[in-house]
């Protein structure tokens, strides 16, 4: 079923446009990288604070701005990630490094939900988040080469 959905997405007009345009795919890749940098950077600020860095800065003071930046950056990543994925959906869905990226994204999201519900130690959530986002960044880059 997932393979069929990937094949349909790979055959879509969006995917054909992404593969056939000299500028669209590179532009989406640039937006994706910039969005990821903003997203991971904003989240890393919160994670480092949860780990005890910058103790003079209250999490409550840092969190609203960092979360707004992260939300905007996530929209950039999603909007650019869809055509990037569509262009190579068949090979990406079978790529173990890309699947590791998706797993790390899922774990990062679950960790964030648990943290915002107050479950567990804040420092543990910060450490898990930093690790997950590092894995997302590295796997995202390495998936191109596998």
């Amino acid at each position: 079923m997932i393979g069929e959905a990937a094949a349909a997405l790979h055959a879509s007009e969006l995917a054909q446009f992404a593969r056939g345009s000299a500028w669209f795919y590179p532009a989406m890749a640039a937006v994706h990288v910039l969005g990821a940098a903003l997203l991971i950077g904003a989240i890393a600020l919160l994670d480092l604070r949860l780990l005890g860095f910058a103790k003079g800065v209250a999490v409550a003071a840092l969190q609203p701005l960092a979360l707004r930046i992260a939300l905007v950056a996530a929209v950039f990543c999603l909007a650019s990630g869809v055509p990037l994925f569509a262009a190579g959906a068949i090979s990406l869905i079978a790529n173990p490094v890309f699947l590791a990226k998706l797993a790390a994204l899922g774990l990062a999201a679950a960790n964030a939900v648990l943290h915002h519900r107050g479950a567990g130690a804040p420092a543990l959530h910060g450490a898990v988040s930093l690790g997950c986002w590092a894995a997302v960044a590295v796997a995202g880059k390495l998936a191109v080469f596998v």
Side-chain angles (χ1 to χ4, degrees):
M1 180 164 178
I2 291 175
E4 293 169 357
L9 186 58
H10 189 81
S12 71
E13 288 184 34
L14 174 63
Q16 292 174 27
F17 179 71
R19 286 190 300 271
S21 172
W23 60 269
F24 184 70
Y25 190 92
M28 290 297 98
V31 169
H32 201 70
V33 167
L34 293 173
L38 280 173
L39 176 64
I40 295 169
I43 292 172
L45 285 174
L46 293 172
D47 293 340
L48 290 170
R49 179 59 194 93
L50 292 174
L51 286 168
F53 294 90
K55 290 184 181 185
V57 178
V59 173
L62 183 63
Q63 192 167 357
L65 177 60
L67 289 180
R68 274 185 258 144
I69 292 170
L71 180 61
V72 170
V75 169
F76 285 169
C77 287
L78 185 60
S80 59
V82 168
L84 293 174
F85 176 73
I90 292 173
S91 60
L92 285 172
I93 205 67
N95 183 327
V97 179
F98 180 76
L99 296 177
K101 174 186 176 177
L102 295 182
L105 270 171
L107 184 56
N111 181 62
V113 168
L114 290 173
H115 170 66
H116 288 288
R117 288 188 177 168
L124 177 60
H125 289 294
V128 169
S129 179
L130 279 174
C132 287
W133 288 109
V136 168
V138 170
K141 189 60 183 171
L142 291 180
V144 190
F145 300 106
V146 174

